[in-house]
Amino acid sequence: MLQTLPQHLQIAKVLRSELEKVEVIFSRQLQSDLPFVNELTGHVDRYRGKMLRPTLLLLTAMTVEGDPCDGSAISPRHRTIATVLEMIHMATLVHDDVLDEADFRRRGATISSLRGNEMAVMLGDYLISNAFHLCSTEGESSLNELIGSVTNTVCEGELLQLSNRENMELSTETYFDILHRKTAVLVGACCRLGAVISNAPDAVVDAADRFGCGLGVAFQIQDDLLDLLGDRETVGKSTGRDLETGKLTLPVLLYLESGSTEQRERMCELLKTRDDQELRRTLVESGAVSDAYAHAERLVEKSKGELSAFPESSGRDLLHSLADAVVTRNC
């Protein structure tokens, strides 16, 4: 039956099956002899939404291998490392909800709102420690080193963002540095590791990394736009948190860079008073929102260009489609 399906559908079916295996590994790794820990980690299962990171790793591996539709391109190591990276991502979400004082994610209550910040911080740490324990079972030091370096960079990005809260002099250069560190390097690592584990040539590995990093920055710009303009029920998590916690995002920075002295002073006042309704109106009417969205679209187009390093295949087509979805999503 599988062989009679169109190629794209065959790959999508194999990918779906492989993601289900990743979910099984994820749940099995977090099993504890303490019932309340299992209850908490069970709640984290609901945090998993798009599973973008394991999808990128597995799909990159399938594309490197030339679209075999029987699942032979995916090894146990691919599944393990995909799970490791998803655990690290989940840990960042749990910690982010503490930092952002968010009470809603994936259309439900956050760990921090249910059990308090202390429990949420420790649960995030538990996810990270389990991620590295799982990674160590592969017995490959280079994987541990790369993932450790990426995790360090993600933490640096969060610290850089925290240190620039309420900073009305924040430059777009620093903003993009924050996005690269806190989001892009992890997405890039997913694509890189999918290619590395499949023994792809160095040129393909590097192109996969650049594709993922560009996608990661575009993803975060879109995330920032959704936080600014989206409603909680549609986006599926607390919105307006960037404004509330003093994070300046790309539309604001573009407005501040291009505005007159009077306009900049007015924007700073809106940010200080947390007048979100007037701030949204100003950013939309000035074109700053559309300019930020256009920047994300350009990043996606540039990233898709990196896929020319891969041979033509249905897998490559799916990576193209996935990249486009990063800036068209509403959640």
Side-chain angles (χ1 to χ4, degrees):
M1 175 63 180
L2 190 60
Q3 281 69 32
T4 66
L5 292 170
Q7 188 82 345
H8 284 59
L9 293 180
Q10 290 181 29
I11 291 185
K13 184 172 181 177
V14 171
L15 184 58
R16 231 178 3 256
S17 173
E18 292 297 335
L19 287 170
E20 289 171 359
K21 294 173 185 175
V22 167
E23 290 180 341
V24 169
I25 299 169
F26 188 102
S27 297
R28 187 176 62 217
Q29 175 63 32
L30 295 180
Q31 279 295 311
S32 169
D33 63 343
L34 297 172
F36 79 90
V37 172
N38 292 329
E39 183 184 345
L40 283 172
T41 57
H43 190 81
V44 168
D45 282 343
R46 193 181 46 73
Y47 273 43
R48 289 206 300 273
K50 295 173 279 292
M51 290 190 75
L52 173 65
R53 288 144 193 88
T55 296
L56 283 170
L57 189 150
L58 298 173
L59 188 52
T60 300
M62 294 171 73
T63 305
V64 167
E65 293 291 332
D67 286 359
C69 296
D70 57 0
S72 61
I74 307 301
S75 67
R77 177 165 287 181
H78 285 108
R79 297 183 198 107
T80 297
I81 300 305
T83 308
V84 167
L85 293 167
E86 183 69 355
M87 279 186 182
I88 292 170
H89 173 56
M90 290 295 104
T92 67
L93 295 185
V94 173
H95 284 160
D96 277 352
D97 288 339
V98 174
L99 296 174
D100 295 341
E101 301 174 9
D103 59 3
F104 194 72
R105 182 179 290 277
R106 302 288 181 225
R107 297 174 175 82
T110 60
I111 297 289
S112 50
S113 66
L114 287 172
R115 298 299 183 91
N117 288 343
E118 295 90 344
M119 194 75 80
V121 168
M122 290 311 303
L123 179 61
D125 293 349
Y126 183 70
L127 285 162
I128 291 174
S129 67
N130 269 280
F132 281 99
H133 178 258
L134 180 59
C135 189
S136 70
T137 64
E138 286 299 318
E140 180 59 61
S141 62
S142 62
L143 295 176
N144 280 308
E145 289 170 8
L146 175 58
I147 294 172
S149 175
V150 166
T151 307
N152 288 344
T153 302
V154 170
C155 293
E156 289 171 349
E158 291 289 357
L159 290 168
L160 183 60
Q161 185 169 65
L162 283 169
S163 69
N164 279 284
R165 283 189 177 184
E166 310 287 357
N167 179 11
M168 302 301 171
E169 302 300 321
L170 180 68
S171 66
T172 53
E173 181 181 6
T174 300
Y175 168 79
F176 283 116
D177 190 18
I178 291 168
L179 265 54
H180 175 76
R181 291 171 185 268
K182 68 170 283 189
T183 303
V185 293
L186 184 57
V187 179
C190 293
C191 298
R192 169 174 283 274
L193 286 165
V196 165
I197 296 169
S198 294
N199 298 311
D202 289 347
V204 173
V205 169
D206 291 341
D209 197 332
R210 290 192 296 270
F211 167 75
C213 281
L215 215 61
V217 175
F219 184 95
Q220 191 60 55
I221 292 172
Q222 180 67 2
D223 229 40
D224 291 348
L225 288 170
L226 291 173
D227 182 81
L228 176 69
L229 302 171
D231 66 89
R232 191 172 91 155
E233 292 304 320
T234 301
V235 176
K237 63 180 180 179
S238 297
T239 56
R241 302 315 302 161
D242 290 338
L243 174 62
E244 201 59 38
T245 57
K247 296 180 189 174
L248 273 62
T249 55
L250 188 57
V252 173
L253 296 175
L254 293 176
Y255 184 90
L256 289 172
E257 281 189 349
S258 62
S260 64
T261 299
E262 183 181 350
Q263 287 172 321
R264 288 196 297 273
E265 289 175 352
R266 173 62 177 152
M267 177 56 61
C268 289
E269 183 63 24
L270 292 175
L271 290 166
K272 288 175 182 175
T273 58
R274 307 292 196 255
D275 188 345
D276 55 346
Q277 186 173 352
E278 181 62 19
L279 183 139
R280 289 191 195 99
R281 186 192 67 77
T282 301
L283 293 176
V284 170
E285 292 181 358
S286 69
V289 166
S290 58
D291 287 348
Y293 183 78
H295 191 95
E297 286 187 310
R298 289 193 296 272
L299 277 169
V300 166
E301 287 305 311
K302 183 179 179 181
S303 298
K304 289 194 297 187
E306 298 291 349
L307 296 176
S308 62
F310 293 85
E312 287 188 24
S313 66
S314 295
R316 193 175 80 170
D317 292 344
L318 287 175
L319 284 171
H320 270 267
S321 298
L322 194 154
D324 289 331
V326 160
V327 288
T328 58
R329 65 193 174 91
N330 63 359
C331 63

